[in-house]
Amino acid sequence: MIGNLKPLEILLIIAVIVLLFGAKKLPEMARSLGKSARILKSEAKAMKKDGEAENTAAPVADQAPQQPAAAPRTIQAAPGDVTSARPVNETNRTTQG
């Protein structure tokens, strides 16, 4: 559908977006969209790493339960950006027996 748009139609769409949101608001929106994409990418990577770690670790019945980490994991919007960091809610994945 996007491939069918002509250059004039694309310019018209861009003009409508600028009129609706304003030129001052567009960079802020793009920045927040970039931060969201970065968070999504890092979380997807972390989930993949956690999944691989669970698949490779063989459960042993006589093994002692693991101790929780000293500091909770946090999600950060950008490296060094501590104002938007929030804790990750993790559930205990070990089976109790």
Side-chain angles (χ1 to χ4, degrees):
M1 182 173 161
I2 293 178
N4 297 337
L5 293 177
K6 297 176 184 157
L8 183 61
E9 294 170 340
I10 293 173
L11 284 174
L12 183 63
I13 291 171
I14 291 172
V16 168
I17 290 173
V18 169
L19 287 174
L20 284 176
F21 296 109
K24 291 183 180 181
K25 196 77 167 172
L26 287 177
E28 182 182 322
M29 290 172 43
R31 198 173 300 115
S32 66
L33 182 65
K35 284 182 180 181
S36 299
R38 223 173 302 146
I39 290 171
L40 180 65
K41 183 178 177 183
S42 68
E43 284 301 308
K45 223 181 250 188
M47 287 175 61
K48 185 176 179 183
K49 187 189 302 182
D50 288 346
E52 288 174 357
E54 287 178 3
N55 290 340
T56 58
V60 177
D62 59 357
Q63 201 174 34
Q66 296 178 351
Q67 299 295 326
R73 288 181 39 197
T74 59
I75 299 172
Q76 292 183 342
D81 183 12
V82 294
T83 58
S84 61
R86 61 181 172 85
V88 177
N89 293 330
E90 294 183 359
T91 59
N92 190 359
R93 297 179 189 219
T94 60
T95 57
Q96 297 177 358

